[in-house]
Structure formats: structure tokens, C-alpha cells
Amino acid sequence: MKNFASKSLAFGFAVTLLLGAVAPAASVVEHPVTSAIGVTPPAPVFTDEQRHQELATRRARVAQAVGAKGTLILFSAEPRVYANDVQYYYRQENNLYYLTNLKQKGITLVITPGNSVAPEILFLRKRNAFAEQWNGRMYGAEEASRVSGIREIWDASELGPFLRALKSKQPYQPKPENILMSARSGETGASSGFEKLFEAAGKNEADLYLLAAGQPEGPEYRQEFRTVADWGQGTGYRVQNALPIFANLRLRKSPMEIALMQHAIDITNEALQRAWVVAGSAKWEYEVDAEVIYTFKLRNADHWGYPPIVGCGANATILHYIESQSPLKPGDLLLMDVGAEYEHYTADVTRTFPVNGKFTSAQAEIYQIVYDAQEAAAKATRPGATISDVDRAATEVIKDGLLRLGLITDKASSQHRMWFMHGTSHWLGMNVHDVGNYGSKLEPGMIFTNEPGIYIGPDALNNLPKSPENEKFIAAIRPAFEKYKSIGVRIEDDMLVTENGVKWMTAALPRKVSEIEAFIARARTR
Amino acid sequence: MKNFASKSLAFGFAVTLLLGAVAPAASVVEHPVTSAIGVTPPAPVFTDEQRHQELATRRARVAQAVGAKGTLILFSAEPRVYANDVQYYYRQENNLYYLTNLKQKGITLVITPGNSVAPEILFLRKRNAFAEQWNGRMYGAEEASRVSGIREIWDASELGPFLRALKSKQPYQPKPENILMSARSGETGASSGFEKLFEAAGKNEADLYLLAAGQPEGPEYRQEFRTVADWGQGTGYRVQNALPIFANLRLRKSPMEIALMQHAIDITNEALQRAWVVAGSAKWEYEVDAEVIYTFKLRNADHWGYPPIVGCGANATILHYIESQSPLKPGDLLLMDVGAEYEHYTADVTRTFPVNGKFTSAQAEIYQIVYDAQEAAAKATRPGATISDVDRAATEVIKDGLLRLGLITDKASSQHRMWFMHGTSHWLGMNVHDVGNYGSKLEPGMIFTNEPGIYIGPDALNNLPKSPENEKFIAAIRPAFEKYKSIGVRIEDDMLVTENGVKWMTAALPRKVSEIEAFIARARTR
């Protein structure tokens, strides 16, 4: 996926060669059976203690930002409807997951740093044998606590009354049977502890933090918008958007986060290698797409992080082509931009390769420019640089290359935006276009994509406004346009900023023209 | 999927045997490579003329129901957010698709049967080169007309003003440049033709039909709810729910619909056969799930119609277990309830089979009862019968079987609901739990599932309320419970009511104990 930037390590071509390959059965099973594929390593495993420590650290940082006069309410995501009574797989709201690792719907977390009695309260639906018979196991309080490390847990039915008490600055006492777990032995709940918050609210100085509060309404965060609307004015609370707090924290990945992202990337690498094999005998884009989603599920990814882009020939010039409905043509390039999501972290990797395994010279010329732009982007990456620096480095190489090929006539103009119309980089993490300020100086632990591209859309010249200047431009570049028409190339790698520069997290996946050709030749032979 | 029946044809075991099978490569590729799998036949193909005729017939029936004093507004589905700026694959609202076969967002259809000038107006977003560069090709008016057969097409920007004019009973003239296509040569739009509707509105007799109008608000149809709210009172229009019109039509499937459903079922059959092979070497439920979604995509299904249920051992006793996170155990049963969706029509098929290919005698005993219940359900199916008749026939067999095995003590009680807690059948079509009145007498062209089941949940006895009566019951069935504990069996076939009885649309898929065992033995041997 592209949106808007790496000192290059030696390219680690770490593909394992194994024995035992066989040809797929005639027309029955169009499956890739090959020996050259780099298999996904085992998933990272963390102990409960490691996870509790990590989550407690995250919550402590959030609490610090919320402050002693504030409270934060995090609702879980609403289920997304497919049609009628069928829903998509449930996916937790990222920031609630970031603080709890809890995957169930109907959960709410309230963090009130100034409350020394119950600074963290988790609201959870009570287990229900009937619901579990139909829809599967629910967390009990013990399990929710074991996962999240939170030790004050109330039944979800208490949330509404609790919020009303909060608003009216009244101490709240849940029904004893609704206190599913309490950190304070012998006590029956947090009837107090909100004094500091209420005192601040009495002076109109309390802060009520909700995700997306104050932003224009979108399809996410509808519970938050409704809560803000219901809360109303004059309650002594200043309604604050909690997203910037999380954006700031999530921009810097911890070692645990980096390990999870590496695993999502490794699964994606395997999927792409399998796809390179399959594409040799597949007839349709969707058959290659099938191998990708197969690999994601086989390796127990949560899901894709975004719908796979599998575009052959001119389809590769459409940035988010997700239909996969065209035939594969042996002489064409196939652009694949795919990313597995693992434990809420998504990969985002693009490779463009020839269906028949061999680049034409025109394809290789375009490809090499994009490759060189990536290298320049990597060289521009270091702590203290910015995403703009990285983008500038890649763009300069693209401009030079386009001028050399005759696809632009003026490097000082914005002509190159016709062929490279997106930025080089976006942050990557729990969202494919991850949260974080794009003005930030790069720091170790930040992860972004390095994804320049060149797209010679077959209708690009027809879409230019008619003007004498444009006619002159079109005449000048027409020969080059005809030569490169319908070629689309994007190469996208996932970059981790390090103390010394950058780590290519996607290093295990062939990327040079010669490496891709060699891999395909080897992998498709038996 | 289960929710809440068939004269049995000879069971057509139509699996093709092909040569060329091979063993998968060691631990690299856990792929099913086998020769015994019944490959999905080619997708049904219809000419534009056939489709236009079909869609025109559907629209004519809807128009008849709406009447000369009514108008129907059908909005396309809202995209469903995955997270942030990522959306799930777009899926059109079923009823709009039913009348147009158009798959794009931002489309609205207005049908005003009393308008002789423009009884059908399609609102469509104008093509836009920038948007298409990013997100793929949009329909032009010609293509939208070629797909749907509708010949009056206006730009989507006209919809708001048009609806306001409709509400205030004013003739409306779109801007000439916004009339993308018009059926009336030489004219520039439908400034008139609404006289009958407005006259009726003047007498408070006009009908404004919208999907779900008047129903409790849910996650679907939010544009409709908003439109109703904005429309307000006193405009002369009676706001009517359009869903019952479509439910009544969609309950009776046309030959074209039946062909599409058969294709969705054929894809699903192939997926299940592949899964039976894979399960022999897979270690985890999700690896088998992977083969299912792989097959759906390989055969160009739109999607699944509902998330695949792949539950091993005790997981088979959870009705909608979709996590696929448990290991496969060779001696256990694996319940798979899966359905591909093709051109908006979904299959819904369940098979339960032993991981190691061989039923234990306890498993076979439970299985045989469910099988016999299916047969009884099929025998009860004929034009004029009802879904309740079908359910009763299956339930009677289940009760007899449970009593025989010692799992209930009283056939006259509702004890059997502990082990068979859902209905035998639901309608099947564009929704997995399809629209249609469950009191309807069966007619040729109706399609429903035949899916009895027995689920011996390991916690079932613990979940019974404590009472002397229950204690007595538990003591009586304890030995049988211990014998059959954690066995879950559902068998689900898709039944088409015919003139003479029923057609098993899933007939190509092995179903008898002996057939399943023979298939697995053959398919897993090379």
C-alpha cells in the first residue's frame, strides 16, 4: 500500500532450499509445490510476565499523558456487518488492543490516573453458557486478567451507570455480584478514588479522553461520537481526542512489537515466494491471489492488513487494484502488494515480477529506476532524518530515470507526478497507514515503507487537460510513452530505523532483477 | 450455518477420479495434492440479453408491488471499514444487486411505476480519472446500462436535489451535463412524469418505499434510516418498508438464480473434498480452513457467505466456532460448515468427518442418527409442505435416536433441545439466512438447508440449573453422556424444492459414513 522513507544492508538472500518437490496434478489442483520457498519461522512467543510488563508500560505512558485530572474511556470496536446477521471476523480496536491484548467485543477500559484506588477498570461481559454454545468461548475475569494484567474487572452492565456517575461527579458503587475481580482484597469495589477527578471537574479542569473526539465523524468510533454527544456541555470535563496520545506512542515500536511485525513480514515473504511459483501456471490473477490468502491462513495470520493487490500488465498501473479478475499474460509484469496481519500488526510488501520469469529490457529499465530509488531512500534513512528526506532522495532518482528514458522533459517541473503519483513512505504498524506525525524526526524503532513506483498508465496522456503546453509535452514524450506503456512497477520494503541507519525487515525476499529471475527459474523447475 | 427440509433422490456420487497425484513436499508445503477431488465445473454464463430479461422481470414485479402511487429508493451498500482507511471488499446491497447486477458503491436506483416518462432512474458517479488511477475502473453510463439494462442514468450529484423535489412534489430537471444517458431520444431529462405520484401525495396516498423503513435501527441500512428521519412527517408520503416485497420475490428462485447457487455449492463441494485430504496431514484447524478459503478464491468465488466453521473434537459442539485455533486430533471428528458465495449467492454445506478417516463406533452412532434425520427431512419435503413439517420430521428421528442411545429419558419433553438446539432448516440465497416467510408453503424454486445435528457439549450437564428433577435426569443419562461426550455432528445439505419433491443440490459430496471413509481412503492414498 502506498501513501506518501535507508542505509542499505547487504541484501540477505535467505531462501532455504529443500528437497522433495513435485509437479502438481494435471488440471485438478493448481497448487504450488516447490522446494525453494522460504518457510515462515515459528511465531514469536512471550510469557505472561513479559506481556504484562509490556502492557503495564504502555498503560503507564498513556496514564502519564492523560494526567491526574483526566480519565480515558476506550471502547472496543463494533462488529462489522457483512450482510444481515453475518459479520466479518471480529477485530479489536487497535488502541484498546495495544493496552490490553484482549480480542473480545463488548469490552471497555477506563483509565483514571488520579484514582489511587482503581486507576484501571475493565468492563467485561459475564460469561453466558447459551451465548458460548452458539458463538464460542468468552473470557472469564481470570482469563481477561491473565491476558491483560488488569486486576479490577466489572461486569459490562455497570458501564452505563458508572459513566453517568462520572459525569455527575458522584462516587459509584457497582453491585457486588458485578465485581468480577478486584485488586483490593476484602473490599467490594471502587466506590471512591475519583475525588481528584471530580475536584478538577468542579473547576472545569478535568479532561475526558475519547478516541477521535472532535474529529469529523467517520465509520469508526461511533460509540465515541455518541458518548461525546450524550455527555453534553457544562459538566466540568474538557472533551479531548485521545488519538494523538496513542499516535505518539505507537510510532515508536518496542522490541515485542518489532518481533510481531517481523513475523507478519515473514509470512508475507513466504506468500510472495509461493505466488511467484504459482504464477507460472496460473491463468488468472485471482488464482495467484488465492495462494496469498492461503499462505496467510496456513501460517495463522489474523487476516490480511489490507486487500491483496494482484495486478497484471496495465492493471499494475492502478494503485489499489484489488479485483484480481484479469488473465495473466506471460510477457507482462505482475505487481503484488500484499501484507499479512499478525496479532494486529501488518506487513506491507510489494514485488513486481514477470509472469514468465524473465524481464524484458523495457521492463527491466523501469524496474531498475525504482530499485535505485529504493536504495537512495534507504541511504537517506538515519536517526534525525525525516520521511520527507527519504521521499526526496527516492524522488530525485525517479526524476533522473524518467528524464533519461524520455518520459519527462523537465526535472524541475512536477511532470514526474504523472508516473509516480504517490509518496515514497508511510508509517507501518497496527494500521497499514499507521498513526504518527509525518514531521517526526526518525528514531530507532520507527517502521515505515520504502515504496517508490513508476506507473505508465495507458490512458495517462488522454487524461491530460488539453493545452498547447501539454500538446508539446505529449509530442516530446510520445515515443518513450509508447515504448513503456502499460508497465507498472512498485517495489516496497519495510524499514526499521536503527541506531546506525536502517534494517530492511523484508531482506529475505529477492528484490534485484537477477535475484528474482534466478529464484523463479529455480523454484519453477520442479 | 444453522437457524431453524425432501424426497431423496438416489445419492449421486459424482466425484471424478484423475491420475497424477503426488505427495506434498516434506514440511515446506502442507498442500493437498490429490487426484480424487471433484473439480468445480465452469461457471454458468449468461448473455446480456438473458440477464436484461431476468432483471427487467424482477424490476417489473417490484414495480407491481410498489404500485402507481409509490416510489422505491434503493441505496447501494455503505463500504465496511476494516480499520482506519482500509475497507473490506465492497459488497453491493443484495436487493439493489437483485435488480441491477451492479457492484459499485455510490449507486442509487429509483423506481416510480406511475411515471411513464422515467419509471426507472439510476444515479451513478461520473467516471473520474484520478479516482480510477487510485482505486480502479468505474462504470461509465454505457457499461452500467449494459450490465443492468437500465437506460435512464443521471449523475449521483443529482440525487439529493431530486429527492428534495420529490418530497416537495415539484417536477425536477437535472442539469443537462448530468444526464449521462436517457432512454428518450431528443429529450434532455425527466422533468415530468411524476404527476401521478404527486397527485397521490396530495391526498396522503403516496407510498415511499425504503429498505428496513420502520424496523429497529441496525448496522445495515443506515442511509435508509437517515432518509426516513430527514423526510419527516406531513409530506403526503406513507413511508413503507420495502424488504417484504423483496423477501417475497427472492424466496422463489429463478433458473438463473438456481444455476448461480449450484455453482456456489459446487465450489464449496470441491473445498470440502480438498479439506478432507488436507486434514490427514494438517496439525491445526486453521490449516484446513486455509484450504477452504484458498479453494473459494481459486474458483473465483466472491467471498465466503459466512466465516468458515472448522471445529475439531469438542469445538464441533459450538455452533458458530470460527476461531480455528485448536490442534487436530486423529481420533476426533472435524465439523466443517462452509459456504462459498458466487455472484451474491451463497452455499451453506456441513460435513463432519473423522480426522484419521475412520469413524469410531460411538461417532458413527451419532452420525447415523443425524443422517437418518436428514433423510426424513428430505422425505417430508414437497410442494405444499412447510419448513415446520420438515423440521418435525427430522426432530422425530433425532429424538428416537437420542432415546435409543440413552441421552434423553423422555421423548415427550424438550430434553432433546439440549443436544439439538437449533432448527433443521433456513432459507438460503443471497443471504445465508435468506429472506422469506417461514410460514410459506413450499413451492418449486425455493431453496433451504437440511441440517440436523447432535452436539454433546462437554459442559452441558454442568450448565443445567440445579433441581431435583435435573439431578435425576443427569443420573439417568450420565453413562451415555460419558460415552458420547464432546462428539458434535452436523450434516447440512442444500435442498431445492421441485415439482415432485426435492433436489439435493449438494448430492455430489459424499455423505454416508461408508462413502466418506472410502473417499478419504482413496484420496489420501497418493
Side-chain angles (χ1 to χ4, degrees):
Chain A
M1 293 275 277
K2 63 244 69 55
N3 216 18
F4 286 119
S6 334
K7 186 171 172 185
S8 171
L9 293 177
F11 179 74
F13 190 107
V15 173
T16 319
L17 257 173
L18 289 164
L19 300 171
V22 279
S27 64
V28 192
V29 186
E30 295 84 347
H31 257 321
V33 182
T34 177
S35 61
I37 289 163
V39 176
T40 306
V45 176
F46 308 104
T47 64
D48 284 349
E49 199 191 333
Q50 289 171 315
R51 209 183 44 253
H52 289 173
Q53 199 172 351
E54 171 96 6
L55 296 176
T57 304
R58 294 178 189 172
R59 292 198 297 267
R61 288 178 179 156
V62 167
Q64 195 174 16
V66 166
K69 297 175 175 179
T71 188
L72 164 70
I73 303 169
L74 282 182
F75 296 109
S76 45
E78 292 184 306
R80 314 286 192 231
V81 64
Y82 178 73
N84 191 24
D85 59 352
V86 175
Q87 296 169 349
Y88 288 99
Y89 290 102
Y90 183 72
R91 185 177 189 277
Q92 188 54 280
E93 196 283 320
N94 278 334
N95 302 296
L96 181 56
Y97 188 79
Y98 183 73
L99 296 192
T100 66
N101 278 4
L102 293 169
K103 296 185 169 176
Q104 191 169 293
K105 66 183 174 184
I107 285 174
T108 306
L109 175 64
V110 177
I111 294 184
T112 315
N115 184 331
S116 60
V117 182
E120 300 173 345
I121 307 173
L122 190 74
F123 293 83
L124 180 74
R125 293 184 188 168
K126 263 187 200 140
R127 293 188 67 177
N128 172 317
F130 178 80
E132 296 187 51
Q133 168 78 68
W134 281 82
N135 298 318
R137 221 163 51 78
M138 300 166 71
Y139 293 130
E142 292 67 27
E143 187 177 1
S145 183
R146 188 184 58 69
V147 172
S148 67
I150 296 172
R151 298 190 301 148
E152 185 77 31
I153 305 182
W154 300 358
D155 183 67
S157 65
E158 296 288 344
L159 179 65
F162 167 78
L163 291 182
R164 284 192 289 277
L166 205 65
K167 180 173 154 183
S168 56
K169 304 183 267 295
Q170 297 297 322
Y172 184 72
Q173 176 61 49
K175 295 180 190 143
E177 69 270 25
N178 284 338
I179 300 176
L180 309 182
M181 178 181 282
S182 186
R184 291 145 300 117
S185 65
E187 299 191 37
T188 56
S191 65
S192 61
F194 289 95
E195 296 80 5
K196 264 190 210 168
L197 183 72
F198 295 162
E199 193 189 318
K203 302 182 202 163
N204 292 310
E205 285 173 2
D207 295 307
L208 172 69
Y209 279 93
L210 288 159
L211 298 173
Q215 291 188 185
E217 272 201 53
E220 274 185 304
Y221 304 120
R222 297 199 293 143
Q223 295 161 99
E224 281 79 357
F225 294 123
R226 209 157 48 227
T227 303
V228 170
D230 291 350
W231 198 272
Q233 304 292 319
T235 59
Y237 292 86
R238 300 173 296 204
V239 176
Q240 310 270 15
N241 182 359
L243 282 174
I245 296 177
F246 288 95
N248 188 44
L249 292 176
R250 285 170 44 195
L251 175 55
R252 291 148 182 96
K253 272 73 177 173
S254 72
M256 187 180 284
E257 292 184 283
I258 292 168
L260 291 168
M261 287 192 69
Q262 185 65 60
H263 192 62
I265 289 167
D266 291 342
I267 294 170
T268 307
N269 286 355
E270 180 178 351
L272 281 168
Q273 291 172 60
R274 286 171 172 271
W276 292 349
V277 181
V278 174
S281 55
K283 302 256 181 303
W284 297 90
E285 293 164 341
Y286 58 77
E287 296 175 349
V288 183
D289 198 338
E291 191 60 27
V292 171
I293 59 166
Y294 169 79
T295 310
F296 289 180
K297 194 76 173 177
L298 184 73
R299 300 311 182 204
N300 206 22
D302 306 336
H303 205 270
W304 42 245
Y306 55 93
I309 297 167
V310 181
C312 189
N315 291 339
T317 70
I318 299 169
L319 303 181
H320 292 159
Y321 171 81
I322 60 169
E323 288 77 11
S324 297
Q325 288 300 308
S326 295
L328 297 187
K329 296 203 188 123
D332 280 352
L333 292 177
L334 185 61
L335 184 154
M336 298 185 64
D337 182 347
V338 306
E341 182 179 291
Y342 187 80
E343 296 287 338
H344 271 249
Y345 291 89
T346 187
D348 185 2
V349 187
T350 308
R351 287 293 183 269
T352 307
F353 66 100
V355 172
N356 62 13
K358 203 78 194 146
F359 286 87
T360 66
S361 61
Q363 290 166 352
E365 286 174 283
I366 298 280
Y367 191 96
Q368 193 59 43
I369 296 169
V370 178
Y371 180 95
D372 293 341
Q374 274 200 307
E375 292 289 323
K379 287 202 179 69
T381 302
R382 66 183 65 87
T386 66
I387 286 287
S388 295
D389 296 334
V390 174
D391 183 53
R392 215 161 12 243
T395 301
E396 196 59 25
V397 174
I398 299 269
K399 283 178 168 183
D400 283 338
L402 291 170
L403 189 68
R404 199 169 62 242
L405 299 189
L407 284 160
I408 61 173
T409 59
D410 180 4
K411 256 192 71 178
S413 74
S414 62
Q415 288 172 359
H416 68 285
R417 301 296 291 166
M418 259 182 87
W419 315 121
F420 175 36
M421 63 292 287
H422 59 79
T424 305
S425 302
H426 56 78
W427 303 122
L428 184 66
M430 302 182 91
N431 293 116
V432 60
H433 298 143
D434 206 28
V435 295
N437 187 332
Y438 278 97
S440 306
K441 300 261 190 235
L442 297 179
E443 293 172 28
M446 293 183 180
I447 299 180
F448 63 87
T449 62
N450 177 1
E451 51 170 323
I454 296 178
Y455 315 91
I456 314 300
D459 294 325
L461 300 188
N462 300 334
N463 291 334
L464 279 181
K466 305 285 169 241
S467 77
E469 197 187 354
N470 280 342
E471 272 173 40
K472 201 176 139 199
F473 170 68
I474 290 171
I477 68 162
R478 173 75 70 186
F481 173 76
E482 295 298 337
K483 179 174 177 189
Y484 300 105
K485 191 164 72 175
S486 297
I487 293 177
V489 171
R490 179 163 64 250
I491 322 177
E492 178 177 27
D493 287 77
D494 299 342
M495 321 297 280
L496 168 65
V497 182
T498 63
E499 297 291 342
N500 306 315
V502 71
K503 180 185 172 193
W504 295 66
M505 299 181 78
T506 26
L509 193 64
R511 186 168 63 95
K512 278 186 181 157
V513 163
S514 59
E515 290 165 343
I516 289 175
E517 290 184 343
F519 176 89
I520 291 177
R522 194 170 65 247
R524 289 191 190 163
T525 318
R526 8 188 328 100
Chain B
M1 295 276 274
K2 65 244 69 59
N3 216 18
F4 281 115
S6 358
K7 183 171 174 187
S8 172
L9 292 178
F11 180 74
F13 192 108
V15 173
T16 319
L17 257 175
L18 289 165
L19 300 173
V22 279
S27 64
V28 192
V29 187
E30 295 82 347
H31 256 320
V33 182
T34 179
S35 60
I37 289 164
V39 176
T40 306
V45 176
F46 308 105
T47 64
D48 284 349
E49 199 191 332
Q50 289 172 315
R51 208 182 45 252
H52 290 172
Q53 199 173 348
E54 171 96 5
L55 296 176
T57 303
R58 295 178 189 173
R59 292 197 298 265
R61 288 178 179 157
V62 168
Q64 194 175 16
V66 168
K69 296 176 176 179
T71 188
L72 164 70
I73 303 169
L74 282 182
F75 296 109
S76 44
E78 292 185 307
R80 312 288 192 231
V81 63
Y82 178 72
N84 191 24
D85 58 352
V86 175
Q87 295 168 350
Y88 288 99
Y89 290 102
Y90 184 72
R91 185 178 190 275
Q92 188 54 280
E93 196 284 319
N94 277 335
N95 302 295
L96 180 57
Y97 188 80
Y98 183 74
L99 295 192
T100 66
N101 278 4
L102 293 169
K103 295 183 169 179
Q104 191 169 292
K105 67 183 172 183
I107 286 174
T108 306
L109 176 64
V110 177
I111 295 185
T112 315
N115 183 330
S116 59
V117 182
E120 300 173 344
I121 307 174
L122 189 74
F123 293 83
L124 180 74
R125 292 184 187 167
K126 262 185 200 143
R127 293 187 68 175
N128 172 318
F130 177 80
E132 295 187 52
Q133 168 77 69
W134 281 82
N135 298 319
R137 220 163 50 78
M138 300 166 69
Y139 292 130
E142 293 68 27
E143 186 178 2
S145 182
R146 188 184 59 68
V147 172
S148 67
I150 295 172
R151 300 189 302 146
E152 185 77 30
I153 305 183
W154 300 359
D155 182 66
S157 65
E158 295 288 345
L159 178 65
F162 168 78
L163 291 182
R164 283 192 289 276
L166 205 65
K167 180 173 153 180
S168 55
K169 303 183 270 293
Q170 297 297 319
Y172 183 73
Q173 177 60 47
K175 294 181 188 142
E177 70 270 26
N178 283 340
I179 300 174
L180 308 183
M181 178 181 281
S182 185
R184 290 144 301 118
S185 63
E187 299 191 37
T188 57
S191 64
S192 60
F194 289 95
E195 297 81 4
K196 262 190 211 170
L197 182 71
F198 295 163
E199 194 189 317
K203 301 185 204 162
N204 293 311
E205 286 173 0
D207 295 306
L208 172 69
Y209 279 93
L210 287 159
L211 297 173
Q215 291 187 185
E217 271 200 57
E220 275 187 303
Y221 303 122
R222 295 199 294 144
Q223 296 161 98
E224 282 78 357
F225 292 122
R226 211 158 48 229
T227 303
V228 170
D230 291 351
W231 198 272
Q233 304 291 321
T235 58
Y237 293 87
R238 300 174 294 205
V239 176
Q240 309 271 14
N241 182 359
L243 282 174
I245 295 176
F246 287 96
N248 188 44
L249 292 175
R250 285 170 47 196
L251 175 55
R252 291 146 182 98
K253 272 74 176 173
S254 72
M256 186 179 285
E257 292 184 282
I258 293 168
L260 292 168
M261 287 194 68
Q262 185 65 59
H263 192 62
I265 289 167
D266 291 341
I267 294 170
T268 306
N269 285 354
E270 180 178 351
L272 280 168
Q273 292 173 61
R274 286 172 172 268
W276 293 347
V277 181
V278 173
S281 54
K283 301 256 180 301
W284 296 92
E285 292 163 343
Y286 58 78
E287 296 175 348
V288 183
D289 198 339
E291 191 61 27
V292 171
I293 60 168
Y294 169 78
T295 310
F296 289 179
K297 194 76 171 176
L298 185 73
R299 300 311 180 204
N300 205 21
D302 305 339
H303 206 269
W304 43 245
Y306 56 94
I309 297 167
V310 181
C312 189
N315 291 338
T317 69
I318 299 169
L319 302 181
H320 292 158
Y321 171 82
I322 60 171
E323 287 77 10
S324 297
Q325 288 298 308
S326 295
L328 298 186
K329 298 207 187 117
D332 280 352
L333 293 177
L334 185 61
L335 184 153
M336 298 187 63
D337 182 346
V338 305
E341 181 178 293
Y342 187 79
E343 297 286 339
H344 272 247
Y345 290 89
T346 188
D348 185 1
V349 186
T350 307
R351 288 292 184 270
T352 307
F353 65 99
V355 172
N356 63 11
K358 204 78 195 147
F359 286 86
T360 66
S361 61
Q363 291 165 350
E365 286 174 283
I366 298 281
Y367 191 96
Q368 193 59 42
I369 296 170
V370 178
Y371 180 95
D372 292 341
Q374 275 200 307
E375 292 290 322
K379 287 202 180 70
T381 303
R382 65 184 65 86
T386 66
I387 287 285
S388 296
D389 296 333
V390 174
D391 183 53
R392 217 165 4 247
T395 302
E396 196 58 26
V397 174
I398 300 267
K399 283 178 169 184
D400 283 337
L402 291 171
L403 189 66
R404 199 170 60 241
L405 299 189
L407 285 161
I408 60 173
T409 59
D410 179 5
K411 256 192 72 178
S413 74
S414 61
Q415 288 172 358
H416 68 284
R417 301 297 289 168
M418 259 185 87
W419 314 122
F420 175 36
M421 63 292 288
H422 60 78
T424 305
S425 303
H426 56 77
W427 303 123
L428 184 65
M430 303 181 91
N431 293 116
V432 59
H433 299 144
D434 207 27
V435 294
N437 187 331
Y438 277 97
S440 306
K441 298 259 189 236
L442 297 179
E443 292 173 27
M446 293 183 181
I447 299 180
F448 64 87
T449 63
N450 177 2
E451 52 170 323
I454 296 178
Y455 315 91
I456 313 300
D459 294 325
L461 300 188
N462 300 333
N463 291 334
L464 279 181
K466 305 284 169 245
S467 76
E469 197 185 356
N470 281 342
E471 272 172 41
K472 198 175 142 199
F473 169 69
I474 289 172
I477 68 162
R478 174 75 70 186
F481 173 75
E482 294 299 337
K483 178 174 179 188
Y484 300 106
K485 191 165 73 173
S486 296
I487 293 178
V489 172
R490 180 163 65 251
I491 321 176
E492 177 178 26
D493 287 78
D494 299 341
M495 320 297 281
L496 168 65
V497 183
T498 63
E499 298 290 342
N500 306 316
V502 71
K503 180 184 172 193
W504 295 66
M505 299 180 79
T506 28
L509 193 62
R511 187 169 61 95
K512 278 188 181 157
V513 163
S514 59
E515 290 165 344
I516 290 175
E517 290 185 342
F519 177 89
I520 291 178
R522 194 169 64 245
R524 288 192 189 162
T525 319
R526 6 183 334 99

